[in-house]
Amino acid sequence: MNTKGLDYTLLTLVIIGAVNWGLIGFFRFDLVAFLFGEMSWITRIIYALVGISGLYLISAFGRIRSMEHA
């Protein structure tokens, strides 16, 4: 099964989440909340998608490891 497109899409979401957390940590600035409103429905969807993407990408470790042993 080819999951390359899904992996890149979800990796992009995780990078966006990481940048947002960096902005929060360094500058106390939440970019997602600034753009879409403080805990609006779209903000919550973005946070949920970033979280689900991170959980999915845990499987990337298993795929990388299995490719190394192939």
Side-chain angles (χ1 to χ4, degrees), residues 41-70:
W41 64 272
I42 193 157
T43 301
R44 293 184 66 195
I45 289 172
I46 292 169
Y47 290 147
L49 288 174
V50 168
I52 291 169
S53 299
L55 291 174
Y56 171 81
L57 288 175
I58 291 171
S59 69
F61 288 116
R63 289 194 307 268
I64 291 169
R65 190 164 187 218
S66 67
M67 288 186 334
E68 289 174 353
H69 293 287

Side-chain angles (χ1 to χ4, degrees), residues 6-69:
L6 180 63
D7 288 348
Y8 281 120
T9 302
L10 297 180
L11 182 59
T12 301
L13 279 173
V14 170
I15 290 169
I16 290 168
V19 169
N20 193 54
W21 275 110
L23 288 171
I24 291 169
F26 287 116
F27 305 112
R28 294 185 181 180
F29 178 70
D30 187 344
L31 181 61
V32 175
F34 176 77
L35 293 175
F36 301 107
E38 189 72 30
M39 291 313 280
S40 69
W41 64 272
I42 193 157
T43 301
R44 293 184 66 195
I45 289 172
I46 292 169
Y47 290 147
L49 288 174
V50 168
I52 291 169
S53 299
L55 291 174
Y56 171 81
L57 288 175
I58 291 171
S59 69
F61 288 116
R63 289 194 307 268
I64 291 169
R65 190 164 187 218
S66 67
M67 288 186 334
E68 289 174 353
H69 293 287

